[in-house]
Amino acid sequence: MATSNPSDAEANTPTPMTNCPMTAALNAIGGKWSLICLYYLDSGTRRFNELRRLIPEVSHKVLTETLRGLEEERLIVRAVHSLAPSHVEYEISAHGETVRPLMHAIRAWGRAHLDYRKQGTD
């Protein structure tokens, strides 16, 4: 069935390949919630609702889109368990683990940035 909403069609269009490393990195993890999802999945397998509780600021729709994007980039693995009740679990992939140093560096910078902002001076 065709979609009537152009933004839905755009959301389902794969990101074109690029030869620029910076563009490739930002396409893969540049979304507002991507690194946060990877950060929580880095500590273990999580269900969707668990991620929603850990990241209450993100909407259901945006979290779903973020997880789909990370799965498309093969940074996470989605496992569907058909046992009653059926459920879906997400975990970071081996390739996703390569983002770990970047996550830790950004978190450290964020901590320093918060301290800087609290000082209120240059």
Coordinates of all heavy atoms in Angstrom, one line a residue, residues 15-103:
T15 N 19.3 5.9 3.6 CA 20.3 7.0 3.4 C 21.3 6.6 2.3 O 21.8 5.5 2.3 CB 21.1 7.2 4.7 OG1 20.1 7.5 5.8 CG2 22.0 8.4 4.6
P16 N 21.5 7.5 1.3 CA 22.4 7.2 0.2 C 23.8 7.0 0.8 O 24.2 7.6 1.7 CB 22.3 8.3 -0.7 CG 21.6 9.4 0.0 CD 20.9 8.8 1.2
M17 N 24.6 6.1 0.1 CA 26.0 5.9 0.5 C 26.8 7.1 0.2 O 26.5 7.9 -0.8 CB 26.6 4.7 -0.2 CG 26.0 3.4 0.2 SD 26.2 3.0 2.0 CE 28.0 2.7 2.0
T18 N 27.8 7.4 1.0 CA 28.7 8.5 0.8 C 30.1 8.1 0.9 O 30.4 7.1 1.6 CB 28.4 9.6 1.8 OG1 29.3 10.7 1.6 CG2 28.5 9.2 3.2
N19 N 31.0 8.8 0.3 CA 32.4 8.5 0.5 C 33.1 9.4 1.5 O 34.3 9.2 1.8 CB 33.2 8.6 -0.9 CG 32.8 7.5 -1.8 OD1 32.6 6.4 -1.4 ND2 32.7 7.9 -3.1
C20 N 32.3 10.3 2.1 CA 32.8 11.2 3.1 C 32.7 10.6 4.5 O 31.6 10.3 4.9 CB 32.0 12.5 3.1 SG 32.5 13.7 4.4
P21 N 33.8 10.3 5.2 CA 33.7 9.7 6.5 C 32.9 10.5 7.5 O 32.2 9.9 8.3 CB 35.2 9.6 6.9 CG 36.0 9.8 5.7 CD 35.2 10.6 4.8
M22 N 33.0 11.8 7.5 CA 32.2 12.6 8.5 C 30.7 12.4 8.2 O 29.9 12.3 9.1 CB 32.7 14.0 8.4 CG 32.1 14.9 9.5 SD 32.9 14.4 11.1 CE 32.8 15.9 11.9
T23 N 30.3 12.5 6.9 CA 28.9 12.4 6.6 C 28.4 11.0 6.9 O 27.3 10.8 7.4 CB 28.7 12.7 5.1 OG1 29.2 14.0 4.8 CG2 27.3 12.5 4.6
A24 N 29.2 10.0 6.6 CA 28.8 8.6 6.9 C 28.6 8.4 8.5 O 27.6 7.8 8.9 CB 29.9 7.6 6.5
A25 N 29.5 9.0 9.3 CA 29.4 8.9 10.7 C 28.1 9.6 11.2 O 27.4 9.0 12.0 CB 30.6 9.4 11.4
L26 N 27.9 10.8 10.7 CA 26.8 11.5 11.2 C 25.5 10.9 10.7 O 24.4 11.0 11.4 CB 26.9 13.0 10.8 CG 28.0 13.8 11.5 CD1 28.1 15.2 11.0 CD2 27.7 13.8 13.0
N27 N 25.5 10.3 9.5 CA 24.3 9.6 9.0 C 24.0 8.5 9.9 O 22.8 8.1 10.2 CB 24.5 9.1 7.6 CG 24.3 10.2 6.6 OD1 23.8 11.3 6.8 ND2 24.8 10.0 5.4
A28 N 25.0 7.8 10.4 CA 24.8 6.6 11.2 C 24.4 6.9 12.7 O 23.5 6.3 13.3 CB 26.0 5.7 11.2
I29 N 25.0 7.9 13.3 CA 24.8 8.1 14.7 C 24.5 9.6 15.0 O 24.5 10.0 16.2 CB 26.1 7.7 15.5 CG1 27.3 8.5 15.1 CG2 26.3 6.2 15.5 CD1 28.5 8.3 16.0
G30 N 24.2 10.4 14.0 CA 24.0 11.8 14.3 C 22.7 12.2 14.7 O 22.4 13.4 15.1
G31 N 21.7 11.3 14.8 CA 20.4 11.7 15.3 C 20.4 12.0 16.7 O 21.3 11.6 17.5
K32 N 19.5 12.9 17.2 CA 19.5 13.3 18.5 C 19.5 12.2 19.6 O 20.1 12.3 20.6 CB 18.2 14.2 18.7 CG 18.1 14.8 20.1 CD 16.9 15.7 20.2 CE 16.8 16.3 21.6 NZ 15.7 17.2 21.7
W33 N 18.8 11.1 19.3 CA 18.7 10.0 20.3 C 19.6 8.8 20.0 O 19.6 7.9 20.8 CB 17.2 9.6 20.4 CG 16.3 10.7 20.7 CD1 15.5 11.4 19.8 CD2 16.2 11.4 22.0 NE1 14.9 12.4 20.5 CE2 15.3 12.4 21.8 CE3 16.8 11.2 23.2 CZ2 14.9 13.3 22.8 CZ3 16.4 12.0 24.2 CH2 15.5 13.1 24.1
S34 N 20.3 8.8 18.9 CA 21.0 7.6 18.5 C 22.1 7.2 19.5 O 22.2 6.1 20.0 CB 21.7 7.8 17.1 OG 20.7 7.9 16.1
L35 N 23.0 8.2 19.9 CA 24.0 7.9 20.8 C 23.5 7.5 22.2 O 24.0 6.7 22.9 CB 25.0 9.0 20.9 CG 26.0 9.1 19.8 CD1 26.9 10.3 19.9 CD2 26.9 7.9 19.7
I36 N 22.4 8.2 22.6 CA 21.8 7.8 23.9 C 21.2 6.4 23.9 O 21.4 5.7 24.9 CB 20.6 8.9 24.2 CG1 21.3 10.3 24.4 CG2 19.9 8.5 25.5 CD1 20.3 11.4 24.4
C37 N 20.6 6.0 22.8 CA 20.1 4.6 22.7 C 21.3 3.7 22.7 O 21.3 2.6 23.5 CB 19.4 4.4 21.4 SG 17.7 5.1 21.4
L38 N 22.4 4.0 22.0 CA 23.6 3.1 22.0 C 24.2 3.0 23.4 O 24.6 2.0 23.8 CB 24.6 3.6 21.0 CG 24.2 3.3 19.5 CD1 25.2 4.1 18.6 CD2 24.2 1.9 19.2
Y39 N 24.2 4.2 24.1 CA 24.7 4.2 25.4 C 24.0 3.2 26.4 O 24.6 2.5 27.1 CB 24.6 5.6 26.0 CG 25.1 5.8 27.4 CD1 26.4 5.8 27.8 CD2 24.1 5.9 28.4 CE1 26.8 5.9 29.1 CE2 24.5 6.0 29.7 CZ 25.8 6.0 30.1 OH 26.2 6.1 31.4
Y40 N 22.7 3.3 26.3 CA 21.9 2.3 27.2 C 22.0 0.9 26.7 O 22.0 0.0 27.6 CB 20.5 2.8 27.3 CG 20.3 4.0 28.2 CD1 19.8 5.2 27.7 CD2 20.6 3.9 29.6 CE1 19.7 6.3 28.6 CE2 20.5 5.0 30.4 CZ 20.0 6.2 29.9 OH 19.9 7.2 30.8
L41 N 22.1 0.7 25.4 CA 22.2 -0.7 24.9 C 23.6 -1.3 25.2 O 23.8 -2.5 25.2 CB 21.9 -0.8 23.5 CG 20.4 -0.5 23.2 CD1 20.2 -0.4 21.7 CD2 19.5 -1.6 23.8
D42 N 24.6 -0.4 25.4 CA 26.0 -0.8 25.6 C 26.1 -1.6 26.9 O 27.0 -2.4 27.1 CB 26.9 0.4 25.6 CG 28.4 0.0 25.6 OD1 28.8 -0.9 24.9 OD2 29.2 0.7 26.3
S43 N 25.2 -1.3 27.8 CA 25.3 -2.0 29.1 C 24.4 -3.3 29.2 O 24.4 -3.9 30.2 CB 24.8 -1.0 30.3 OG 23.5 -0.6 30.1
G44 N 23.8 -3.6 28.1 CA 23.0 -4.8 28.0 C 21.8 -4.8 27.1 O 21.4 -3.7 26.7
T45 N 21.2 -6.0 26.9 CA 20.0 -6.1 26.1 C 18.8 -5.4 26.8 O 18.7 -5.5 28.0 CB 19.7 -7.6 25.9 OG1 20.9 -8.2 25.3 CG2 18.5 -7.8 25.0
R46 N 18.0 -4.7 26.0 CA 16.9 -4.0 26.6 C 15.7 -4.2 25.7 O 15.8 -4.3 24.5 CB 17.2 -2.5 26.7 CG 18.5 -2.2 27.4 CD 18.3 -1.2 28.4 NE 19.6 -0.9 29.0 CZ 19.8 -0.9 30.3 NH1 18.8 -1.2 31.1 NH2 20.9 -0.5 30.8
R47 N 14.5 -4.2 26.3 CA 13.2 -4.2 25.6 C 12.9 -2.7 25.3 O 13.4 -1.8 25.9 CB 12.1 -4.8 26.4 CG 12.3 -6.3 26.6 CD 11.1 -6.9 27.3 NE 11.3 -8.3 27.5 CZ 10.3 -9.0 28.0 NH1 9.1 -8.5 28.3 NH2 10.5 -10.3 28.2
F48 N 12.0 -2.6 24.3 CA 11.5 -1.2 23.9 C 11.0 -0.4 25.0 O 11.5 0.8 25.2 CB 10.5 -1.4 22.8 CG 10.0 -0.1 22.2 CD1 10.7 0.5 21.2 CD2 8.9 0.6 22.8 CE1 10.3 1.8 20.7 CE2 8.5 1.8 22.3 CZ 9.2 2.4 21.2
N49 N 10.1 -0.9 25.8 CA 9.6 -0.2 26.9 C 10.6 0.2 28.0 O 10.5 1.2 28.7 CB 8.4 -0.9 27.6 CG 7.1 -0.8 26.7 OD1 7.0 0.1 25.9 ND2 6.3 -1.8 26.8
E50 N 11.6 -0.6 28.1 CA 12.7 -0.3 29.1 C 13.4 0.9 28.6 O 13.8 1.8 29.4 CB 13.6 -1.5 29.2 CG 14.7 -1.3 30.3 CD 15.5 -2.5 30.5 OE1 15.4 -3.6 29.7 OE2 16.4 -2.5 31.3
L51 N 13.7 1.0 27.3 CA 14.3 2.1 26.7 C 13.5 3.4 26.9 O 13.9 4.5 27.2 CB 14.7 1.9 25.2 CG 15.8 0.9 25.0 CD1 15.9 0.6 23.5 CD2 17.1 1.5 25.4
R52 N 12.2 3.2 26.7 CA 11.2 4.3 26.9 C 11.3 4.9 28.3 O 11.3 6.1 28.5 CB 9.8 3.9 26.6 CG 9.5 3.7 25.1 CD 9.1 5.0 24.4 NE 7.8 5.4 24.9 CZ 7.5 6.7 25.1 NH1 8.4 7.6 25.0 NH2 6.3 7.0 25.5
R53 N 11.4 4.0 29.3 CA 11.5 4.4 30.7 C 12.9 5.1 30.9 O 12.9 6.1 31.7 CB 11.3 3.3 31.6 CG 9.9 2.8 31.8 CD 9.7 1.8 32.9 NE 10.4 0.6 32.7 CZ 9.9 -0.4 32.0 NH1 8.7 -0.3 31.4 NH2 10.6 -1.6 31.8
L54 N 13.9 4.6 30.3 CA 15.2 5.2 30.5 C 15.4 6.6 29.8 O 16.2 7.4 30.2 CB 16.3 4.3 30.0 CG 16.6 3.0 30.8 CD1 17.4 2.0 30.0 CD2 17.2 3.3 32.1
I55 N 14.6 6.8 28.7 CA 14.7 8.0 27.9 C 13.3 8.6 27.8 O 12.7 8.6 26.8 CB 15.3 7.7 26.5 CG1 16.5 6.8 26.6 CG2 15.7 9.0 25.9 CD1 16.9 6.2 25.2
P56 N 12.8 9.1 28.9 CA 11.4 9.6 28.9 C 11.1 10.8 28.0 O 10.0 11.0 27.6 CB 11.1 9.9 30.4 CG 12.4 10.2 31.0 CD 13.4 9.3 30.2
E57 N 12.1 11.5 27.6 CA 12.0 12.7 26.7 C 11.7 12.3 25.3 O 11.2 13.1 24.5 CB 13.2 13.5 26.8 CG 13.6 14.0 28.1 CD 14.5 13.1 28.9 OE1 14.9 12.0 28.3 OE2 14.8 13.4 30.0
V58 N 11.9 11.1 24.9 CA 11.7 10.7 23.5 C 10.3 10.1 23.3 O 9.8 9.3 24.2 CB 12.8 9.7 23.0 CG1 12.7 8.3 23.7 CG2 12.8 9.5 21.5
S59 N 9.7 10.4 22.2 CA 8.4 9.9 21.9 C 8.5 8.5 21.4 O 9.5 8.0 21.0 CB 7.6 10.7 20.9 OG 8.2 10.6 19.6
H60 N 7.4 7.7 21.5 CA 7.3 6.4 21.0 C 7.7 6.3 19.5 O 8.5 5.5 19.1 CB 5.9 5.9 21.2 CG 5.7 4.4 20.9 ND1 5.6 3.9 19.6 CD2 5.6 3.3 21.7 CE1 5.4 2.6 19.6 NE2 5.4 2.2 20.9
K61 N 7.2 7.2 18.7 CA 7.4 7.2 17.3 C 8.9 7.5 17.0 O 9.5 6.8 16.2 CB 6.6 8.3 16.6 CG 6.8 8.4 15.2 CD 6.0 9.6 14.6 CE 6.4 9.7 13.1 NZ 6.1 11.0 12.5
V62 N 9.5 8.5 17.7 CA 10.9 8.8 17.4 C 11.8 7.7 17.9 O 12.8 7.4 17.2 CB 11.2 10.2 18.1 CG1 12.7 10.5 18.0 CG2 10.4 11.3 17.4
L63 N 11.5 7.1 19.0 CA 12.3 6.0 19.5 C 12.3 4.8 18.5 O 13.3 4.2 18.2 CB 11.9 5.5 20.9 CG 12.7 4.4 21.5 CD1 14.2 4.7 21.6 CD2 12.2 4.0 22.8
T64 N 11.1 4.5 18.0 CA 11.0 3.5 17.0 C 11.8 3.8 15.8 O 12.6 3.0 15.3 CB 9.5 3.3 16.6 OG1 8.7 2.9 17.7 CG2 9.3 2.3 15.5
E65 N 11.7 5.0 15.3 CA 12.5 5.4 14.1 C 14.0 5.4 14.4 O 14.8 5.0 13.5 CB 12.1 6.9 13.7 CG 10.7 6.9 13.1 CD 10.2 8.4 12.9 OE1 10.9 9.3 13.3 OE2 9.1 8.5 12.4
T66 N 14.4 5.8 15.6 CA 15.8 5.8 15.9 C 16.3 4.4 15.9 O 17.4 4.1 15.4 CB 16.0 6.5 17.3 OG1 15.6 7.8 17.2 CG2 17.5 6.4 17.7
L67 N 15.6 3.5 16.6 CA 16.0 2.1 16.7 C 16.1 1.4 15.3 O 17.0 0.7 15.0 CB 15.1 1.3 17.6 CG 15.2 1.7 19.1 CD1 14.1 1.0 19.9 CD2 16.6 1.3 19.6
R68 N 15.1 1.8 14.4 CA 15.1 1.2 13.0 C 16.4 1.7 12.3 O 17.0 1.0 11.6 CB 13.9 1.7 12.3 CG 12.7 0.9 12.7 CD 11.5 1.3 11.9 NE 10.3 0.5 12.3 CZ 9.1 1.0 12.2 NH1 8.8 2.2 11.7 NH2 8.0 0.3 12.7
G69 N 16.7 3.0 12.5 CA 17.9 3.6 11.8 C 19.2 2.9 12.3 O 20.1 2.6 11.5
L70 N 19.3 2.7 13.6 CA 20.5 2.0 14.2 C 20.5 0.6 13.7 O 21.6 0.1 13.4 CB 20.4 2.1 15.7 CG 20.6 3.5 16.3 CD1 20.3 3.5 17.8 CD2 22.0 4.0 16.0
E71 N 19.4 -0.1 13.6 CA 19.4 -1.4 13.0 C 19.8 -1.4 11.6 O 20.6 -2.3 11.1 CB 18.0 -2.0 13.2 CG 17.9 -3.5 12.8 CD 16.5 -4.1 12.9 OE1 15.5 -3.3 13.1 OE2 16.4 -5.3 12.8
E72 N 19.3 -0.5 10.8 CA 19.7 -0.4 9.4 C 21.2 -0.2 9.2 O 21.8 -0.7 8.3 CB 18.9 0.8 8.7 CG 19.2 0.9 7.3 CD 18.4 2.1 6.7 OE1 17.1 2.1 6.8 OE2 19.0 2.9 6.0
E73 N 21.8 0.6 10.1 CA 23.2 0.9 10.1 C 24.0 -0.3 10.7 O 25.2 -0.3 10.7 CB 23.6 2.1 10.9 CG 23.0 3.4 10.2 CD 23.7 3.8 8.9 OE1 24.9 3.3 8.7 OE2 23.1 4.5 8.1
R74 N 23.3 -1.3 11.2 CA 23.9 -2.5 11.8 C 24.7 -2.2 13.1 O 25.6 -2.9 13.4 CB 24.7 -3.3 10.8 CG 23.8 -3.9 9.7 CD 24.5 -4.7 8.7 NE 25.2 -3.8 7.7 CZ 26.0 -4.2 6.8 NH1 26.4 -5.5 6.8 NH2 26.5 -3.4 6.0
L75 N 24.2 -1.2 13.8 CA 24.8 -0.8 15.1 C 24.1 -1.5 16.2 O 24.7 -1.7 17.3 CB 24.8 0.7 15.3 CG 25.6 1.5 14.2 CD1 25.3 3.0 14.4 CD2 27.1 1.2 14.4
I76 N 22.9 -2.0 16.0 CA 22.2 -2.7 17.0 C 21.5 -3.9 16.3 O 21.4 -4.0 15.1 CB 21.1 -1.9 17.7 CG1 20.0 -1.5 16.7 CG2 21.7 -0.7 18.4 CD1 18.7 -0.9 17.4
V77 N 21.1 -4.9 17.1 CA 20.5 -6.1 16.6 C 19.1 -6.2 17.3 O 19.0 -6.0 18.5 CB 21.3 -7.4 17.0 CG1 20.5 -8.6 16.6 CG2 22.6 -7.3 16.3
R78 N 18.1 -6.4 16.5 CA 16.7 -6.6 17.0 C 16.3 -8.0 17.0 O 16.4 -8.7 16.0 CB 15.7 -5.8 16.1 CG 14.3 -5.8 16.5 CD 13.5 -5.0 15.5 NE 12.1 -4.9 15.8 CZ 11.2 -5.7 15.3 NH1 11.5 -6.6 14.4 NH2 9.9 -5.6 15.7
A79 N 15.9 -8.5 18.1 CA 15.5 -10.0 18.2 C 14.1 -10.1 18.7 O 13.7 -9.5 19.7 CB 16.4 -10.7 19.3
V80 N 13.3 -10.8 17.9 CA 11.9 -11.0 18.2 C 11.8 -12.4 18.8 O 12.2 -13.4 18.2 CB 11.0 -10.9 16.9 CG1 9.5 -11.2 17.2 CG2 11.2 -9.6 16.2
H81 N 11.2 -12.4 20.0 CA 11.0 -13.6 20.7 C 9.5 -14.0 20.7 O 8.7 -13.2 21.1 CB 11.5 -13.5 22.2 CG 12.9 -13.2 22.3 ND1 13.9 -14.1 22.2 CD2 13.6 -12.0 22.4 CE1 15.1 -13.6 22.3 NE2 14.9 -12.3 22.4
S82 N 9.2 -15.1 20.2 CA 7.8 -15.5 20.0 C 7.1 -16.2 21.2 O 6.0 -16.6 21.1 CB 7.6 -16.3 18.7 OG 8.4 -17.5 18.8
L83 N 7.9 -16.4 22.2 CA 7.3 -17.0 23.4 C 6.2 -16.1 24.0 O 6.3 -14.9 23.9 CB 8.4 -17.2 24.5 CG 9.6 -18.0 24.1 CD1 10.7 -18.0 25.2 CD2 9.2 -19.4 23.9
A84 N 5.2 -16.7 24.5 CA 4.1 -16.0 25.1 C 4.5 -15.4 26.4 O 4.9 -16.1 27.3 CB 2.9 -16.9 25.2
P85 N 4.3 -14.1 26.6 CA 3.9 -13.1 25.6 C 5.2 -12.8 24.7 O 6.3 -12.7 25.2 CB 3.5 -11.9 26.4 CG 4.3 -12.0 27.6 CD 4.5 -13.5 27.9
S86 N 4.9 -12.5 23.4 CA 6.0 -12.2 22.5 C 6.6 -10.9 22.9 O 5.9 -10.0 23.4 CB 5.5 -12.3 21.1 OG 4.6 -11.3 20.9
H87 N 7.8 -10.7 22.6 CA 8.5 -9.4 22.9 C 9.7 -9.2 22.0 O 10.2 -10.2 21.3 CB 8.9 -9.3 24.3 CG 9.9 -10.3 24.8 ND1 9.5 -11.6 25.2 CD2 11.2 -10.2 24.9 CE1 10.6 -12.3 25.5 NE2 11.7 -11.5 25.4
V88 N 10.2 -8.0 21.9 CA 11.3 -7.7 21.1 C 12.4 -7.1 22.0 O 12.1 -6.4 22.9 CB 10.9 -6.6 20.0 CG1 12.1 -6.1 19.2 CG2 9.8 -7.1 19.1
E89 N 13.6 -7.6 21.7 CA 14.8 -7.1 22.5 C 15.8 -6.5 21.5 O 15.9 -6.9 20.4 CB 15.4 -8.2 23.3 CG 14.6 -8.7 24.4 CD 15.3 -9.8 25.2 OE1 16.1 -10.5 24.6 OE2 15.0 -10.0 26.4
Y90 N 16.5 -5.5 22.0 CA 17.5 -4.8 21.3 C 18.8 -5.0 22.0 O 18.9 -4.9 23.2 CB 17.2 -3.3 21.1 CG 15.9 -3.0 20.3 CD1 14.7 -2.9 21.0 CD2 16.0 -2.9 19.0 CE1 13.6 -2.7 20.3 CE2 14.8 -2.7 18.2 CZ 13.6 -2.6 18.9 OH 12.4 -2.4 18.2
E91 N 19.9 -5.1 21.2 CA 21.2 -5.2 21.8 C 22.2 -4.5 20.9 O 22.0 -4.5 19.7 CB 21.6 -6.6 22.2 CG 21.8 -7.5 21.0 CD 22.2 -8.9 21.5 OE1 23.1 -9.1 22.3 OE2 21.5 -9.9 21.0
I92 N 23.3 -4.0 21.4 CA 24.3 -3.4 20.6 C 25.0 -4.5 19.8 O 25.2 -5.6 20.4 CB 25.3 -2.6 21.5 CG1 26.0 -1.6 20.6 CG2 26.1 -3.4 22.3 CD1 26.7 -0.5 21.4
S93 N 25.3 -4.3 18.6 CA 26.0 -5.3 17.8 C 27.6 -5.1 18.0 O 28.0 -4.2 18.6 CB 25.7 -5.0 16.3 OG 26.3 -3.8 15.9
A94 N 28.3 -6.1 17.4 CA 29.8 -6.0 17.5 C 30.3 -4.7 16.9 O 31.1 -4.0 17.4 CB 30.4 -7.2 16.9
H95 N 29.6 -4.4 15.7 CA 30.0 -3.1 15.1 C 29.6 -1.9 15.9 O 30.3 -0.9 16.0 CB 29.4 -3.1 13.7 CG 29.7 -1.9 12.9 ND1 31.0 -1.5 12.6 CD2 28.9 -0.9 12.4 CE1 31.0 -0.4 11.9 NE2 29.7 0.0 11.7
G96 N 28.5 -2.0 16.5 CA 28.0 -0.9 17.4 C 28.9 -0.7 18.6 O 29.1 0.5 19.0
E97 N 29.6 -1.7 19.0 CA 30.5 -1.6 20.1 C 31.7 -0.7 19.7 O 32.4 -0.1 20.6 CB 31.0 -3.0 20.6 CG 29.9 -3.7 21.4 CD 30.4 -5.1 21.8 OE1 31.5 -5.5 21.5 OE2 29.6 -5.8 22.4
T98 N 32.0 -0.6 18.5 CA 33.1 0.3 18.0 C 32.8 1.7 18.2 O 33.7 2.6 18.2 CB 33.4 0.0 16.5 OG1 32.3 0.5 15.7 CG2 33.8 -1.4 16.3
V99 N 31.6 2.1 18.6 CA 31.2 3.5 18.8 C 31.5 3.8 20.3 O 31.5 5.0 20.7 CB 29.7 3.7 18.5 CG1 29.3 5.1 18.7 CG2 29.4 3.3 17.0
R100 N 31.8 2.8 21.1 CA 32.0 3.0 22.6 C 33.0 4.1 22.9 O 32.6 5.0 23.7 CB 32.4 1.7 23.2 CG 32.5 1.8 24.7 CD 32.9 0.4 25.3 NE 31.7 -0.5 25.1 CZ 31.9 -1.8 24.8 NH1 33.1 -2.3 24.6 NH2 30.8 -2.6 24.7
P101 N 34.2 4.2 22.3 CA 35.1 5.3 22.6 C 34.5 6.7 22.3 O 34.7 7.6 23.1 CB 36.3 5.0 21.8 CG 36.2 3.6 21.4 CD 34.8 3.3 21.3
L102 N 33.8 6.8 21.2 CA 33.1 8.0 20.9 C 32.0 8.4 21.9 O 32.0 9.6 22.4 CB 32.5 7.9 19.5 CG 31.8 9.1 18.9 CD1 32.8 10.3 18.9 CD2 31.2 8.8 17.6
M103 N 31.2 7.4 22.3 CA 30.2 7.7 23.4 C 30.8 8.2 24.7 O 30.4 9.2 25.3 CB 29.4 6.4 23.7 CG 28.4 6.0 22.6 SD 27.4 4.6 23.1 CE 28.5 3.3 23.2

